[in-house]
Amino acid sequence: MNRHRPIIPIHKPADYEGMRKAGQLAAAALDMLVEEAKPGITTAHLDKLAFEFAMDNNALPATLHYRGYKYSICTSINHVVCHGMPNNKPLKKGSILNIDVTLILDGWHGDTSRTIPIGDIPTKAARLMDITYNALFKGIEVVRPGATTGDIGHAIQAYGESERCSIVTDFCGHGLGRQFHTPPNILHYGKPGEGVTLEEGMFFTIEPMLNLGRPNVKVLADGWTAVTKDKSLSAQFEHSIAVTKDGYEIFTLSPGGWQHQFRK
Ligand code: MF3
Ligand code: CO
Ligand code: CO
């Protein structure tokens, strides 16, 4: 064992089928949750719906009891960057909400998140969501055998910064499959050619967090909730993907056609 060279799982064709099912279920859960998330609804209610959805579909929410986390989803509002915890406060019109769902189905992890508007939102919030969504796809589109994790990070960073947003560097995407978090780390910044060289059979998430203000983040005393230090708005989108023979496959595309928060 050489712990300085973590082993990146390389998956077989049958494993892709397991991830397709888990990814589609996680995305279907999100489709249901984004329809329910409205002004006046609490994130605790969304958490309950997510738990029940998992139970009804023979799945487990991967975050429940994960390292002491007590909820089935993460709900990150406005300046919360990620790992926001569901609570009993009603959602307010004008907020943006990221819902992050990870479901385990037949041992495979499907991990996906979207940021959605709660009622009418300010133009600058809608712009941040658009740019963050586009940034995720800038990263996905460079994935193919022979590309590197640095190519992904560079594509996201170059685009996000060209739109005058900042890229959160404290959290990253991750390998996944039979485990929730494995190598490689997928940084959302970097230089072309750096990092791990991608191979067919690698499964990982890309999940950029972009801020309207400065990139700096702090974690609150609850040990989970990550917020922007300057309280500026933050958005995130996440897909679970595979490297294929000649490109990529997205496991967590919305079965309901919600490829974007505003379009169906
Ligand atoms: N789903 C998150 C991710 O994208 C992980 C959340 S871990 C939790 O990796 F414990 F905060 F839920
Ligand atoms: Co993830
Ligand atoms: Co996630």
Side-chain angles (χ1 to χ4, degrees), residues 1-242:
M1 278 285 276
N2 183 341
R3 51 216 193 86
H4 301 287
R5 285 186 172 213
I7 295 191
I8 299 171
I10 301 296
H11 298 91
K12 301 230 163 357
D15 303 337
Y16 284 64
E17 197 47 39
M19 282 299 283
R20 279 182 199 119
K21 290 184 180 143
Q24 283 301 287
L25 192 66
L30 261 186
D31 283 358
M32 179 273 293
L33 293 168
V34 303
E35 297 265 22
E36 297 293 332
K38 296 194 179 80
I41 296 292
T42 68
T43 48
H45 177 67
L46 299 178
D47 185 62
K48 179 170 174 282
L49 293 176
F51 179 77
E52 289 169 355
F53 182 94
M55 294 301 107
D56 291 346
N57 288 282
N58 300 313
L60 288 172
T63 57
L64 192 57
H65 310 307
Y66 176 80
R67 299 186 180 197
Y69 192 80
K70 294 199 187 68
Y71 307 94
S72 297
I73 53 176
C74 297
T75 50
S76 302
I77 302 171
N78 292 338
H79 74 295
V80 180
V81 173
C82 63
H83 303 165
M85 293 187 284
N87 63 32
N88 286 314
K89 290 179 208 153
L91 289 167
K92 286 191 194 130
K93 176 171 164 290
S95 301
I96 59 172
L97 167 68
N98 176 278
I99 306 176
D100 191 336
V101 184
T102 310
L103 294 181
I104 311 170
L105 182 65
D106 297 332
W108 296 100
H109 290 70
D111 184 6
T112 182
S113 88
R114 297 177 210 157
T115 300
I116 59 163
I118 302 302
D120 290 335
I121 59 168
T123 307
K124 64 177 181 37
R127 178 176 170 274
L128 174 66
M129 290 165 67
D130 279 344
I131 292 162
T132 308
Y133 181 84
N134 294 341
L136 167 59
F137 277 84
K138 295 282 180 191
I140 290 173
E141 281 160 11
V142 306
V143 171
R144 58 171 177 78
T148 70
T149 55
D151 295 343
I152 299 172
H154 176 75
I156 292 168
Q157 181 178 25
Y159 171 74
E161 291 180 352
S162 78
E163 295 290 347
R164 302 181 313 283
C165 293
S166 65
I167 314 291
V168 172
T169 58
D170 296 53
F171 300 96
C172 58
H174 50 91
L176 85 174
R178 291 211 174 267
Q179 292 184 69
F180 193 176
H181 293 110
T182 72
N185 282 339
I186 306 296
L187 306 182
H188 304 115
Y189 59 94
K191 296 204 178 85
E194 285 187 353
V196 168
T197 301
L198 304 181
E199 289 174 38
E200 183 180 3
M202 290 181 182
F203 296 168
F204 52 81
T205 72
I206 306 180
E207 47 183 300
M209 287 141 272
L210 272 67
N211 303 341
L212 278 184
R214 298 194 45 78
N216 310 62
V217 165
K218 65 176 179 183
V219 176
L220 299 184
D222 61 28
W224 285 105
T225 313
V227 299
T228 55
K229 276 194 185 164
D230 64 5
K231 298 203 167 60
S232 68
L233 286 181
S234 187
Q236 180 178 28
F237 287 86
E238 175 177 25
H239 274 311
S240 297
I241 72 171

